[in-house]
Amino acid sequence: MVDFLPVAVGGDIGVYALLRAFHEQYGSRSLVLSSVATRAMTDSTFITNVVTPGIDEPETLVAALEKVAAEHPGARLLLLTNADWYVRAIIEHRERLEKHYLIPFCTLDVLDVVSSKEAFAEVCAELDIPTPRTVAVDVADLTARGGRSLVAGLEVDLEFPVVAKPSSSAEYHYISFPGKKKIHHVETRAELDELLGHLVDAGYTGTFLVQEFIPGDETQMRSLTAYRDSNGEITLLATGRVLLEEHTPGTLGIPAAILTEPYEDAMEAASRFLDRVGYLGFANFDYKWDSRTGRHVYFEMNPRIGRNNYYVTAAGANPARVLVEDQVHGNRIEPVRATGEVLYTVVPVKLLMRYILEPGLRSRLKGVVKRKGVVHPLRYRGDGGLKRRLVIELMTANFWRKYKQYYPEATETGY
């Protein structure tokens, strides 16, 4: 019998994928709080979606979670999320929430290290883990000293194109400006100056990072997912080769397709990092193969399981199990690795193949497709009936019709 109830915050595809893992492993029902009704949860038979406007505000979120707890007296509630800003809100209000919930997240001081890309790079340097060359721009200081008038004078000792992104995704979530993207690929210095000017005008108070571009197309990107338990043991590791990233402004850089592959060097590096900072919970690392050095270069660690987490479950390492054994049952288990070869994709395979230019990789993918090794997190026969399946298929088709302008033809140097 299931003796716990997963309660998740956020209604995105990553939350659904994680709750699907719980349902596959335990047959458990789950509850999701989201600010709006989301299609990922539509007509689910094992997820109850509670629409709660305003939960981006921490006090509203905590009050809503306390209300859920009051409605489930005596239940063992396991609190989950897959968004940086919700992770921070939960950790900052741990004292109130842990009266009702099991909270599988790190401490606030550890969160401050891992969620800052600057602090992440400092720990990596200490451990001899490669990171990109970076120029950090303190936007609050820039604003205080004169704002836009000082932007053109900033020294940026990097070759263009460059990559520009916030040091903290949680801070960045709360601002808006023209052309805002999760990650900005900047071709010229003039584009960079315009971007920094928008950040000044928007009142952004965090640090913005300008980084060297590591050459290679998106098939050189990698993803790693880990879980480090309350005993300090890393009980889950999974790695994969990114084949295509999402290109829409709000999801730019998030893997849309992953081929599971073992990267032992990455598992070793991530393990050393997590042990060094004393981490607890799920972690997701983004890194890239650098053909110039023959090494992986690490960009960031997300303090959550990641939007694309179903590649882990599909490859044979159910993340729900390692979490429940640790947090609910208090058991020590043998570490697991995702060893199966699967193609995780949220885009049609025919579309994906347009972007795979390497003959050997194309051949491998055709083999995976032939043996029916393709998985999509929302296509789950264990959930819903015909109506839900139609909604999911229409959602997928409509998405690519709406956003096809963001997916140009592939070239030898990139997309």
Side-chain angles (χ1 to χ4, degrees):
M1 291 184 62
V2 177
D3 59 351
F4 61 90
L5 174 66
V7 178
V9 182
D12 74 349
I13 191 172
V15 168
Y16 180 86
L18 180 56
L19 298 180
R20 173 177 173 175
F22 276 88
H23 192 256
E24 288 185 18
Q25 184 73 30
Y26 301 104
S28 59
R29 298 185 62 81
S30 299
L31 187 148
V32 168
L33 294 179
S34 60
S35 57
V36 297
T38 65
R39 289 186 176 179
M41 308 299 168
T42 299
D43 294 319
S44 174
T45 55
F46 66 88
I47 296 173
T48 300
N49 190 187
V50 179
V51 176
T52 310
I55 58 172
D56 277 5
E57 294 298 324
E59 182 56 39
T60 302
L61 171 62
V62 174
L65 288 170
E66 289 175 331
K67 183 174 183 290
V68 168
E71 293 169 349
H72 296 82
R76 303 188 74 184
L77 305 177
L78 183 58
L79 187 53
L80 308 166
T81 190
N82 193 39
D84 293 343
W85 46 95
Y86 293 144
V87 170
R88 178 165 290 276
I90 289 167
I91 291 174
E92 289 179 343
H93 295 83
R94 183 190 298 270
E95 187 174 349
R96 283 172 63 180
L97 292 172
E98 66 184 0
K99 297 174 183 177
H100 314 287
Y101 293 89
L102 298 169
I103 302 179
F105 299 108
C106 63
T107 60
L108 184 58
D109 58 335
V110 173
L111 178 68
D112 287 337
V113 172
V114 301
S115 61
S116 163
K117 295 177 181 64
E118 293 170 282
F120 172 81
E122 290 174 5
V123 175
C124 286
E126 176 188 328
L127 299 174
D128 191 31
I129 297 173
T131 57
R133 290 181 57 225
T134 301
V135 173
V137 180
D138 185 336
V139 180
D141 177 69
L142 188 67
T143 302
R145 292 189 297 107
R148 270 186 176 266
S149 64
L150 299 181
V151 169
L154 287 174
E155 183 177 353
V156 180
D157 185 23
L158 298 172
E159 291 185 8
F160 285 82
V162 296
V163 175
K165 57 189 177 183
S167 179
S168 169
S169 298
E171 289 180 285
Y172 190 62
H173 173 70
Y174 293 99
I175 68 161
S176 61
F177 59 87
K180 179 182 176 181
K181 299 177 182 177
K182 184 175 181 286
I183 299 172
H184 291 260
H185 293 273
V186 182
E187 296 293 330
T188 66
R189 177 59 197 256
E191 284 185 28
L192 178 63
D193 289 353
E194 183 66 16
L195 171 60
L196 294 175
H198 283 317
L199 289 167
V200 169
D201 295 343
Y204 182 60
T205 58
T207 299
F208 216 69
L209 305 181
V210 184
Q211 294 184 332
E212 69 168 321
F213 174 72
I214 306 300
D217 66 22
E218 292 170 13
T219 64
Q220 302 309 310
M221 289 295 299
R222 308 287 187 260
S223 182
L224 181 148
T225 303
Y227 182 80
R228 188 172 186 271
D229 72 11
S230 53
N231 297 302
E233 186 168 9
I234 296 169
T235 53
L236 171 69
L237 282 167
T239 54
R241 179 176 186 169
V242 177
L243 303 175
L244 181 67
E245 295 178 341
E246 299 203 27
H247 288 210
T248 59
T251 59
L252 191 67
I254 295 174
I258 295 174
L259 177 67
T260 53
E261 288 183 337
Y263 295 104
E264 295 295 335
D265 64 320
M267 293 182 186
E268 188 273 337
S271 298
R272 287 192 290 121
F273 181 92
L274 295 172
D275 287 341
R276 167 64 180 79
V277 300
Y279 191 74
L280 167 65
F282 287 116
N284 179 245
F285 289 78
D286 296 327
Y287 56 110
K288 189 174 186 179
W289 175 253
D290 189 344
S291 60
R292 302 169 301 181
T293 63
R295 301 182 72 184
H296 285 124
V297 178
Y298 294 78
F299 298 141
E300 63 185 352
M301 192 213 93
N302 301 301
R304 49 189 170 79
I305 194 168
R307 178 182 172 94
N308 48 67
N309 67 83
Y310 193 71
Y311 85 93
V312 183
T313 308
N318 191 303
R321 175 178 171 267
V322 298
L323 180 59
V324 169
E325 290 296 330
D326 177 39
Q327 293 289 315
V328 178
H329 300 146
N331 293 334
R332 304 189 79 147
I333 63 171
E334 287 294 319
V336 294
R337 303 288 183 268
T339 57
E341 185 183 51
V342 297
L343 169 58
Y344 164 98
T345 181
V346 296
V347 303
V349 172
K350 287 184 178 179
L351 175 65
L352 172 63
M353 294 299 283
R354 287 169 45 187
Y355 296 92
I356 308 303
L357 304 177
E358 181 187 325
L361 183 56
R362 287 181 64 88
S363 179
R364 281 186 61 197
L365 292 179
K366 288 178 181 178
V368 174
V369 172
K370 186 175 181 179
R371 63 173 173 78
K372 302 187 184 302
V374 180
V375 296
H376 186 299
L378 297 181
R379 293 189 175 118
Y380 180 31
R381 290 191 175 275
D383 188 17
L386 178 61
K387 181 180 177 182
R388 174 174 169 82
R389 288 196 287 274
L390 287 173
V391 167
I392 298 305
E393 295 306 318
L394 286 172
M395 179 177 71
T396 303
N398 288 338
F399 178 88
W400 296 111
R401 278 197 291 269
K402 183 176 180 181
Y403 293 113
K404 63 183 179 180
Q405 70 267 29
Y406 295 112
Y407 294 83
E409 292 293 336
T411 69
E412 290 296 334
T413 56
Y415 301 149

